[in-house]
């Protein structure tokens, strides 16, 4: 009986031509498969639409650059898209967002895009005013954050006109009751100034929120950004547009904002010269025109926000009550940024107010 060395036997198997050929074919197949998967994962831009050429060599496409932009600029995805459009100076661009998917096409030209609630809103807006009167008294001239207060007051208003103005659940009422119940020592702690004195924002403790309210905390207006809205429109030859778009402009429907101050907060841009008959009847030289220029606060077309009029009613009541009851003083520059974060809506990163109560007895 002869014995054999297992090591030599294994060595013979490995070195046989058949084994070597099989291993080579298997390795080659794996390499080819990896290469094909890599090629399939690379962005596939739509021909004829501007895009970042340098993003074609990575399966992640534009994604790393987008993250870097948002980190460095402190802005939301909306502003990242706007920057992309402005970079290519084109009304239609594409973003290569992730592997194995089609590009995201960005359209940035406005002309391409084809009495029950009142009392409830008033009750909840008035509650916000009462809360801010208490807060402004405690703040004694210092700014404080208004973001959550406005957000929750809007939510209360929605519940109010949906379920009646006597709806028992509220996000604002617990905070108001908490502050009104503070003793003198607690109020004094709130009023303590930091190193910045009156410019130091006051922090108010939050109250435990009603569970019904906690379940619904995403309500605001979706703001449009980008060319035609917050930056000058991209110049497009009229002969490249559809006949309906050209006709709309000839009929005076293709309006645009003045590019010189398009990014400035300027409410009077919606005031236009009133027709002669209206001037004689009202006595005003100008009138409000909701279509004075392009805007996408409520989107457009069949997917446009159907609650637009309700939202405007809420805004009118809330802003009127705020301006009627408070003088809005300037906040420190470091609390006055226009940077934002994209959630369900485009939310400001900083939303502070410095209030002085208006004395209506004078």
């Amino acid at each position: 009986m002869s014995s054999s060395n297992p090591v030599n036997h294994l060595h013979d198997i490995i070195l046989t031509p058949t084994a070597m050929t099989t291993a080579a074919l298997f390795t080659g197949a794996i390499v080819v498969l990896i290469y094909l998967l890599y090629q399939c994962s690379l962005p596939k831009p739509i021909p004829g639409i501007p895009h970042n050429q340098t993003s074609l060599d990575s399966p992640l496409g534009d994604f790393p650059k987008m993250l870097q932009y948002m980190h460095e600029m402190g802005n939301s995805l909306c502003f990242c898209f706007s920057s992309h459009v402005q970079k290519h100076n084109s009304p239609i661009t594409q973003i290569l967002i992730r592997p194995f998917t089609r590009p995201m096409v960005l359209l940035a030209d406005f002309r391409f895009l084809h009495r029950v609630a009142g009392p409830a809103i008033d009750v909840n807006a008035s509650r916000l005013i009462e809360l801010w009167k208490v807060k402004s008294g405690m703040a004694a001239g210092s700014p404080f954050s208004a973001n959550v207060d406005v957000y929750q007051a809007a939510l209360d208003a929605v519940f109010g006109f949906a379920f009646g103005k006597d709806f028992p659940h509220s996000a604002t009422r617990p905070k108001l009751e908490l502050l009104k119940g503070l003793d003198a020592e607690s109020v004094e702690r709130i009023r303590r100034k930091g190193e910045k004195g009156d410019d130091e924002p006051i922090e108010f403790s939050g109250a435990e929120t009603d569970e019904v309210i906690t379940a619904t905390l995403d309500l605001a207006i979706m703001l449009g950004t980008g060319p035609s809205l917050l930056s000058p429109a991209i110049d497009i030859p009229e002969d490249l547009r559809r006949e309906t778009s050209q006709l709309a402009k000839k009929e005076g429907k293709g309006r645009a904002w003045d590019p010189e101050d398009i990014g400035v907060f300027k409410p009077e841009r919606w005031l236009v010269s009133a027709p002669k008959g209206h001037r004689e009847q009202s006595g005003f030289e100008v009138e409000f025109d909701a279509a004075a220029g392009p805007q996408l606060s409520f989107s457009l077309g069949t997917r446009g926000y159907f609650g637009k009029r309700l939202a405007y009613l809420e805004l009118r009541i809330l802003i009127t009550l705020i301006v009627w009851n408070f003088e809005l003083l300037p906040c420190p520059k470091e609390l006055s940024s226009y940077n934002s974060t994209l959630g369900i809506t485009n939310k400001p990163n900083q939303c502070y107010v410095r209030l002085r109560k208006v004395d209506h007895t004078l």
Side-chain angles (χ1 to χ4, degrees):
M1 182 175 180
S2 62
S3 62
S4 61
N5 190 327
V7 175
N8 292 335
H9 182 64
L10 179 62
H11 180 71
D12 292 339
I13 294 175
I14 293 176
L15 294 180
T16 58
T18 302
M20 293 179 64
T21 301
T22 302
L25 289 174
F26 180 76
T27 302
I30 294 296
V31 171
V32 171
L33 180 61
I34 293 175
Y35 176 77
L36 291 176
L37 285 174
Y38 176 77
Q39 290 296 318
C40 290
S41 70
L42 291 176
K44 304 295 188 296
I46 302 172
I49 300 180
H51 57 276
N52 290 332
Q53 192 69 27
T54 56
S55 298
L56 299 181
D57 299 327
S58 169
L60 296 178
D62 293 313
F63 190 66
K65 295 177 182 177
M66 293 167 62
L67 289 180
Q68 181 181 2
Y69 174 88
M70 290 187 288
H71 175 72
E72 293 178 353
M73 303 301 294
N75 269 327
S76 71
L77 193 60
C78 286
F79 285 91
C80 183
F81 289 164
S82 175
S83 173
H84 181 81
V85 170
Q86 292 170 335
K87 173 184 175 182
H88 293 283
N89 193 34
S90 171
I92 183 170
T93 59
Q94 56 184 318
I95 285 184
L96 313 170
I97 199 73
R98 56 184 178 178
F100 305 108
T101 59
R102 294 180 178 181
M104 178 185 293
V105 177
L106 303 180
L107 186 61
D109 182 74
F110 187 81
R111 287 169 58 196
F112 274 9
L113 308 176
H114 285 293
R115 255 191 188 297
V116 174
I121 295 173
D122 180 66
V123 167
N124 289 283
S126 297
R127 188 177 292 130
L128 173 65
I129 298 302
E130 187 178 359
L131 174 66
W132 279 7
K133 285 182 177 180
V134 174
K135 282 190 172 183
S136 63
M138 292 181 178
S142 294
F144 59 88
S145 177
N147 201 354
V148 175
D149 291 344
V150 174
Y151 185 64
Q152 293 181 340
L155 182 63
D156 287 346
V158 171
F159 279 121
F161 59 68
F163 302 106
K165 63 180 181 180
D166 297 323
F167 185 64
H169 304 283
S170 170
T172 305
R173 188 187 296 113
K175 297 191 293 185
L176 179 59
E177 293 173 349
L178 175 65
L179 292 179
K180 283 186 172 182
L182 294 178
D183 55 29
E185 184 179 351
S186 299
V187 173
E188 189 58 35
R189 274 201 304 269
I190 292 176
R191 286 177 171 170
R192 286 176 186 166
K193 308 291 184 180
E195 296 179 356
K196 298 181 180 179
D198 287 343
D199 285 345
E200 187 82 27
I202 296 294
E203 299 291 339
F204 290 95
S205 300
E208 185 174 348
T209 308
D210 189 294
E211 292 183 2
V212 174
I213 306 299
T214 305
T216 321
L217 289 179
D218 285 318
L219 178 71
I221 290 180
M222 184 174 293
L223 300 178
T225 62
S228 299
L229 301 172
L230 289 181
S231 59
I234 296 167
D235 186 25
I236 304 172
E238 285 298 313
D239 58 357
L240 296 182
R241 298 184 182 273
R242 288 181 174 271
E243 292 182 4
T244 52
S245 180
Q246 296 181 40
L247 179 61
K249 184 175 183 179
K250 292 178 181 178
E251 294 176 348
K253 298 177 182 178
R255 304 181 182 183
W257 301 122
D258 183 352
E260 294 297 324
D261 61 1
I262 191 171
V264 178
F265 181 76
K266 187 180 178 182
E268 58 267 29
R269 68 175 76 249
W270 274 271
L271 300 180
V272 300
S273 297
K276 183 178 180 180
H278 290 185
R279 289 200 301 268
E280 294 174 350
Q281 184 177 3
S282 66
F284 293 106
E285 295 294 322
V286 295
E287 65 178 7
F288 173 77
D289 183 2
Q295 59 172 319
L296 285 174
S297 299
F298 299 94
S299 192
L300 289 174
T302 56
R303 296 188 181 185
Y305 179 50
F306 64 89
K308 176 179 178 178
R309 292 188 177 183
L310 188 59
Y312 270 126
L313 175 62
E314 185 173 347
L315 272 174
R316 290 189 184 103
I317 293 175
L318 186 57
I319 293 175
T320 300
L321 287 175
I322 291 174
V323 175
W324 181 258
N325 286 278
F326 301 105
E327 182 180 351
L328 300 172
L329 305 176
C331 289
K333 185 177 181 180
E334 59 269 22
L335 299 179
S336 304
S337 168
Y338 281 96
N339 290 342
S340 61
T341 300
L342 183 65
I344 300 298
T345 62
N346 213 28
K347 301 177 182 179
N349 292 340
Q350 294 180 321
C351 182
Y352 290 87
V353 291
R354 174 180 267 161
L355 306 176
R356 179 187 294 152
K357 286 187 284 188
V358 174
D359 187 357
H360 292 290
T361 61
L362 298 178

